[in-house]
């Protein structure tokens, strides 16, 4: 007699199980954010379960504050510069480690653990002693913060780029392009990079979401001499809880919109039948 198959779970039942697991997790993650949003648009919220009224006064006051706009611009300048520099430095290393020098990948896997192995406070003290004087007095300038952010973005950048390279046959594409007459540099820019667009976007937005909220290095290396968004949030934390909640929600919405725009554009689609 043929052996009976074991008990199987129907797709509908499996879907219900996933939903019942996802709902509590999503609720636990969304409740603090919803509470912060509600506090940011409330007139007064004391001992009651819900606020007494709703208003956009705190958001309007936030965006009419020149100090906040300046701090926001400084953060964008430092983070954007660090991301561009780290991408220029790490992208060739990831490509060579994947295609030409496999041993380099082993060393990079050890190197990318350094930002997590050394506490930020310890790193900050070392950077302060190194760049406080001498020919490059960078302490208090945005350049030391930008260079420090490059080292922080290294793990996120490298792992995202390596995973992107592993998703397609990079060596075969390079060899095919060179057989057709393209130089290695032309093949890299015209063949490899278009296939890495999704991985590059993931690396950029993952690093951006982490760097824009970094506080320890910014506080110790530049402080109020170059007030970034997190330093500004720390300095105004005692003024009004509604005001700081509006700042947090603004930053979250900005990152959410930026990530949505990055993930929704530039996807590679297969050509339809009949297209030339």
């Amino acid at each position: 007699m043929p052996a009976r198959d074991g008990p199987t779970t129907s797709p509908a039942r499996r879907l219900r199980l996933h939903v019942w697991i996802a709902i509590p997790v999503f609720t636990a993650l969304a409740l603090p954010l919803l509470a912060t949003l509600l506090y940011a648009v409330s007139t007064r919220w004391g001992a009651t379960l819900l606020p007494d009224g709703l208003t956009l006064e705190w958001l309007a006051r936030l965006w009419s504050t020149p100090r906040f706009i300046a701090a926001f611009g400084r953060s964008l300048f430092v983070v954007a510069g660090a991301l561009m520099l780290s991408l220029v430095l790490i992208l060739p290393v990831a490509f060579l480690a994947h295609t030409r020098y496999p041993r380099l990948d082993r060393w990079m896997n050890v190197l990318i653990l350094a930002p997590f192995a050394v506490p930020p406070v310890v790193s900050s003290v070392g950077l302060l002693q190194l760049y406080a004087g001498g020919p490059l007095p960078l302490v208090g300038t945005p350049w030391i913060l930008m260079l420090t952010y490059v080292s922080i973005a290294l793990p996120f950048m490298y792992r995202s780029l390596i995973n992107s390279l592993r998703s397609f046959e990079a060596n075969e594409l390079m060899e095919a392009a060179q057989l057709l007459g393209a130089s290695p540099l032309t093949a890299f820019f015209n063949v490899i990079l278009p296939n890495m667009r999704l991985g590059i976007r993931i690396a950029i937005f993952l690093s951006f979401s982490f760097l824009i909220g970094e506080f320890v290095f910014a506080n110790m290396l530049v402080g109020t001499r170059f007030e970034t968004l997190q330093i500004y949030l720390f300095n105004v934390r005692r003024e009004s809880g509604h005001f700081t909640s509006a700042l947090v929600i603004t930053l979250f919405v900005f990152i959410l919109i930026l990530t949505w725009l990055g993930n929704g554009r530039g996807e590679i689609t297969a050509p339809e039948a009949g297209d030339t």
Side-chain angles (χ1 to χ4, degrees):
M1 294 180 63
R4 290 185 177 181
D5 295 336
T8 59
T9 304
S10 63
R13 184 177 180 182
R14 194 178 308 143
L15 178 61
R16 288 196 299 268
L17 179 61
H18 292 169
V19 169
W20 281 108
I21 294 175
I23 288 178
V25 174
F26 179 79
T27 303
L29 295 175
L31 276 179
L33 185 63
L34 291 176
T36 304
L37 174 61
L38 193 59
Y39 198 70
V41 296
S42 62
T43 56
R44 190 170 64 88
W45 196 354
T48 58
L49 182 61
L50 295 176
D52 297 337
L54 301 178
T55 180
L56 296 178
E57 175 188 356
W58 304 109
L59 290 171
R61 183 183 300 182
L62 176 68
W63 283 103
S64 61
T65 304
R67 185 180 171 188
F68 161 73
I69 298 176
F72 197 20
R74 295 188 192 101
S75 292
L76 291 180
F77 168 73
V78 172
V79 173
L83 291 178
M84 291 178 59
L85 183 59
S86 60
L87 187 62
V88 170
L89 294 176
I90 299 172
L91 181 58
V93 175
F95 176 73
L96 292 176
H98 179 72
T99 58
R100 292 289 185 269
Y101 307 105
R103 291 185 179 181
L104 181 59
D105 183 56
R106 302 174 186 175
W107 287 103
M108 289 300 298
N109 288 330
V110 176
L111 182 61
I112 62 178
L113 297 177
F116 300 104
V118 182
V121 176
V122 177
S123 301
S124 300
V125 173
L127 291 171
L128 286 173
Q129 294 179 353
L130 184 62
Y131 295 108
L136 292 175
L138 298 179
V139 175
T141 67
W143 314 116
I144 187 173
L145 193 59
M146 191 179 297
L147 294 174
T148 303
Y149 282 178
V150 170
S151 64
I152 298 177
L154 173 63
F156 306 102
M157 282 279 184
Y158 184 76
R159 292 315 316 171
S160 298
L161 296 177
I162 283 292
N163 292 336
S164 178
L165 286 167
R166 289 173 179 171
S167 64
F168 62 94
E169 300 295 338
N171 286 321
E172 285 76 3
L173 289 177
M174 285 290 294
E175 292 175 359
Q178 292 178 10
L179 287 175
L180 293 175
S183 64
L185 195 61
T186 302
F188 176 76
F189 281 102
N190 294 339
V191 178
I192 301 300
L193 279 185
N195 286 279
M196 294 183 64
R197 284 184 296 181
L198 181 59
I200 291 174
R201 288 206 305 267
I202 292 175
I204 290 176
F205 289 113
L206 185 63
S207 303
F208 178 87
S209 61
F210 186 82
L211 294 179
I212 197 68
E214 200 283 324
F215 172 75
V216 177
F217 285 108
N219 185 40
M220 297 193 66
L221 297 178
V222 295
T224 56
R225 287 171 288 184
F226 189 81
E227 190 178 50
T228 60
L229 190 59
Q230 294 300 321
I231 299 299
Y232 173 73
L233 176 61
F234 178 77
N235 291 333
V236 301
R237 70 190 187 281
R238 297 180 181 178
E239 293 185 7
S240 172
H242 301 280
F243 187 81
T244 54
S245 297
L247 195 157
V248 171
I249 289 298
T250 298
L251 180 59
F252 175 80
V253 172
F254 177 78
I255 296 176
L256 184 64
I257 293 175
L258 199 63
T259 305
W260 177 76
L261 291 176
N263 290 334
R265 294 179 181 270
E267 296 294 340
I268 301 176
T269 57
E272 297 181 359
D275 290 348
T276 57

